Amino acid sequence: MEKMVDVAVIGAGTAGRNALRQVSRSGKSFVFINGGPMGTTCARVGCMPSKVAIQVAEDFHRRAAFEDEGIRGAGGLSIDIPAAMKKIRSMRDFFVARTLDGTDQLHQGHFIDGYAKLLEPDLIEVNGERIRAGTIVLATGSSSIVPGPWKAFGDRILTSDVFFEQEDFPARVAVVGLGVIGLELGQVLARLGVEVHGFDALDRIGGLTDPKVAEAAKQALEEDFPIHLGHAVEISEEGEALKLSAGEVSVVVDKVLVSIGRRPNTAGFDLGRFGVEVDARGVPAFDPATMKVEGLPIFLAGDLSGDRPVLHEATDEGRIAGINAGRDEPLRFARKAMLGITFTDPNVCRVGMSFADAEARGAAIGEQNFMRQARSRVMGKARGLLRVYGDGSDGKLLGAEMAIPGGEHLAHELAWAIQQGLTVFDLLAMPFYHPVLEEGLQGALNSLASKVEHKPAVPPGLQLAE
């Protein structure tokens, strides 16, 4: 016997919970299915516990500046890593609990704890029960990738899924994969006193495509740990330790943090059976404006889609999928300007169009070196580079890449401007206080404005009164 519902939402992470809110408001009948631990990836193993760890590491690292500032006694400070990890887990549990608010109040008939299988495009099986749904929202998230042969090294291999459960860390750790996770946690470990080596098969870190910004980011982060790029990594046993070899570099460490990406959780769905093309990860083509899979009553959302794996995008995708899952004809939604932030010191950020795409378009480029930026020098963080891309004809802002102090804030300002379709001259007409990090953005914008072909009649930064 089959249970009938209008909508089935599978996955209780950020995207799934936001989809559920929209479905429940629509008045449609629904079930909410989740297998495994409750709580979002962000709260459990991602952006929230990592930010606590970053703050702890930054606070301890800051002691290095005290002597030069006339603050004595910093040499006596030490870090108790087990106590620090206990604090991080405590904060993590607080954030997880907040994400669960309301889940326990779901009617028993609405929530099912179990792993769902897709038997037909509209038929689900979970815990032996079959559920026929008018539409299905798949929001099952992603999992850390570990190459098969490396799994044989057991608990000497770490991922972000287990990083925050560690009571302590050994003296030597290698980080393989220098995207957001690898850079953030690698710098945390280094600043807690662990000997860290970073590796990536790519020749740039942090997803950067701008070679100048990538080099500035590498130079800044190498103040904390050496970075080895451009070669695939091989791992072998060296007694109880592990030996990593990449090109001409070999290091011996006690554990390896593997952060080479996350794979969408598509197990149990096999959507290719239903006549749609899927990629190597098992993810079908879908319309990002509706989140609908073409030809199927199925909507994707969150990390499962593999499109924009960050929390604010997962929230939007869940809401879009939830709204459309309850409609006969899906609505099309505009997506936000691209915004990506790595919370290292300095922040590594990407906004809007990448350098690679902007260069192909022949964009004008403005830049500001933060080694000479006044507020950065006051803060003891004078390093890094900001590059802003704009249309060479009218100065319309297109994108930016940066490795700078305060990048998390300046990246937001640029993303807002890009989403509104502003030009470099529009942004320069805004107030810039002194002395602030935003003056570094002002410098990059002035650099860009000087290269734009069609300029206003008045100097950049001024506007005629109406």
Side-chain angles (χ1 to χ4, degrees):
M1 183 175 178
E2 297 175 354
K3 179 178 180 177
M4 307 289 290
V5 297
D6 293 320
V7 183
V9 178
I10 305 175
T14 297
R17 293 174 64 78
N18 278 279
L20 177 67
R21 291 189 184 99
Q22 299 303 322
V23 171
S24 62
R25 291 170 184 166
S26 72
K28 301 285 186 177
S29 62
F30 66 89
V31 292
F32 187 38
I33 304 168
N34 186 74
M38 296 288 285
T40 68
T41 296
C42 172
R44 286 191 302 104
V45 299
C47 43
M48 295 314 297
S50 67
K51 299 310 155 297
V52 183
I54 287 168
Q55 188 63 55
V56 170
E58 168 68 13
D59 290 345
F60 185 55
H61 178 73
R62 178 65 183 164
R63 77 195 187 285
F66 290 173
E67 188 71 22
D68 188 50
E69 294 174 348
I71 304 172
R72 309 305 182 204
L77 295 175
S78 62
I79 183 74
D80 182 339
I81 293 180
M85 295 304 294
K86 183 178 180 180
K87 168 66 175 179
I88 292 165
R89 284 191 292 273
S90 173
M91 291 290 288
R92 183 271 313 273
D93 293 345
F94 168 78
F95 293 123
V96 170
R98 289 185 61 190
T99 69
L100 299 180
D101 288 347
T103 302
D104 294 339
Q105 299 174 12
L106 282 172
H107 187 277
Q108 185 176 3
H110 287 206
F111 180 71
I112 302 174
D113 183 2
Y115 290 94
K117 293 182 179 180
L118 206 57
L119 303 182
E120 298 173 14
D122 61 350
L123 181 62
I124 301 161
E125 183 177 74
V126 57
N127 299 337
E129 179 182 10
R130 294 194 171 192
I131 301 167
R132 184 78 64 175
T135 55
I136 297 171
V137 177
L138 297 180
T140 49
S142 62
S143 299
S144 297
I145 297 173
V146 178
W150 294 1
K151 294 178 182 179
F153 302 126
D155 61 7
R156 289 174 291 180
I157 297 293
L158 304 176
T159 68
S160 59
D161 292 335
V162 300
F163 182 91
F164 301 105
E165 299 306 322
Q166 304 303 300
E167 297 291 336
D168 201 351
F169 291 100
R172 306 167 299 177
V173 174
V175 179
V176 180
L178 297 176
V180 174
I181 295 171
L183 289 178
E184 289 184 352
L185 297 185
Q187 188 174 58
V188 163
L189 289 171
R191 292 189 165 187
L192 293 179
V194 176
E195 179 189 324
V196 175
H197 287 266
F199 294 85
D200 201 300
L202 301 177
D203 58 4
R204 295 172 190 161
I205 62 175
L208 295 167
T209 67
D210 190 315
K212 288 189 175 181
V213 177
E215 181 57 29
K218 180 175 181 290
Q219 288 180 9
L221 290 167
E222 281 198 308
E223 294 178 13
D224 290 298
F225 62 95
I227 292 174
H228 314 289
L229 302 177
H231 296 280
V233 173
E234 296 181 359
I235 304 179
S236 58
E237 289 188 317
E238 183 107 341
E240 294 298 315
L242 295 175
K243 180 180 179 180
L244 284 80
S245 300
E248 297 180 356
V249 175
S250 291
V251 299
V252 176
V253 298
D254 304 295
K255 290 192 176 184
V256 177
L257 172 62
V258 179
S259 52
I260 57 176
R262 296 180 66 87
R263 179 180 292 110
N265 292 329
T266 57
F269 304 138
D270 193 11
L271 296 175
R273 293 175 297 157
F274 308 127
V276 297
E277 291 188 13
V278 299
D279 63 20
R281 305 165 300 170
V283 178
F286 64 95
D287 183 352
T290 65
M291 301 311 296
K292 188 176 186 301
V293 178
E294 183 66 31
L296 297 179
I298 293 173
F299 298 82
L300 307 184
D303 284 6
L304 176 75
S305 74
D307 185 28
R308 297 184 175 190
V310 289
L311 183 136
H312 70 275
E313 296 288 0
T315 298
D316 284 355
E317 290 181 359
R319 295 166 67 192
I320 293 169
I323 290 169
N324 284 333
R327 294 178 54 86
D328 293 332
E329 290 295 327
L331 298 173
R332 294 180 60 79
F333 292 85
R335 300 302 298 271
K336 292 182 171 68
M338 185 273 170
L339 174 61
I341 300 172
T342 303
F343 291 87
T344 46
D345 176 19
N347 296 158
V348 174
C349 311
R350 295 169 294 120
V351 182
M353 187 179 295
S354 70
F355 167 80
D357 290 340
E359 184 182 43
R361 178 171 165 161
I365 300 174
E367 69 177 54
Q368 174 70 46
N369 189 320
F370 271 64
M371 290 183 69
R372 297 184 295 272
Q373 206 279 324
R375 186 60 185 275
S376 295
R377 295 189 68 83
V378 171
M379 298 165 62
K381 295 179 179 291
R383 62 194 192 279
L385 182 68
L386 164 63
R387 300 242 287 173
V388 182
Y389 321 129
D391 187 281
S393 176
D394 61 8
K396 182 178 180 180
L397 293 167
L398 301 175
E401 294 190 15
M402 66 198 77
I404 57 174
E408 61 178 289
H409 305 296
L410 303 191
H412 271 88
E413 294 166 12
L414 283 167
W416 298 339
I418 290 168
Q419 186 161 311
Q420 294 179 72
L422 301 184
T423 70
V424 62
F425 305 106
D426 293 326
L427 208 52
L428 280 169
M430 304 295 183
F432 288 84
Y433 207 77
H434 172 76
V436 293
L437 292 172
E438 280 75 8
E439 286 182 301
L441 171 58
Q442 185 182 38
L445 293 172
N446 276 316
S447 171
L448 172 59
S450 70
K451 300 170 184 174
V452 174
E453 181 180 358
H454 297 104
K455 299 178 176 64
V458 296
L462 297 177
Q463 284 184 313
L464 296 172
E466 295 182 358

